[in-house]
């Protein structure tokens, strides 16, 4: 059975370029833990920014709440 992957999409507030990652449950937990924010570093202008998890990945956000 294929493991479910979540699409996490973020947008840099400075240059507007978007970053998309596809992570499975384990990878999301490892990288972001249970925090409601996603911390990203822009590939273009290398600034760090945070995005709400519910905006970056509504699907994961929903699942998180269901498991609580
Ligand atoms: Zn940027």
């Amino acid at each position: 059975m294929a493991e479910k992957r979540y699409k996490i999409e973020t947008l840099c507030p400075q240059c507007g370029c978007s970053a998309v990652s596809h992570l499975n449950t384990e990878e999301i937990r490892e990288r972001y833990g249970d925090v409601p924010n996603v911390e990203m570093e822009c590939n273009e202008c290398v600034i760090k920014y945070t995005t709400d998890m519910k905006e970056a990945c509504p699907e994961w956000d929903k699942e998180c709440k269901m498991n609580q």
Side-chain angles (χ1 to χ4, degrees):
M1 202 173 98
E3 198 166 5
K4 185 168 172 59
R5 287 191 169 260
Y6 296 87
K7 184 181 169 207
I8 297 178
E9 196 166 14
T10 54
L11 200 68
C12 173
Q14 185 160 283
C15 70
C17 81
S18 61
V20 179
S21 348
H22 291 92
L23 302 174
N24 64 30
T25 309
E26 220 166 81
E27 289 166 332
I28 295 183
R29 288 241 159 85
E30 204 168 280
R31 198 177 292 195
Y32 304 117
D34 282 328
V35 293
N37 295 326
V38 187
E39 216 169 273
M40 295 293 293
E41 191 177 297
C42 178
N43 291 330
E44 296 294 322
C45 56
V46 204
I47 61 154
K48 290 198 169 126
Y49 61 96
T50 57
T51 307
D52 281 355
M53 182 58 93
K54 64 173 183 294
E55 271 170 42
C57 185
E59 206 183 355
W60 169 253
D61 190 60
K62 217 166 80 188
E63 209 115 315
C64 251
K65 282 171 187 155
M66 264 165 40
N67 291 334
Q68 271 171 11

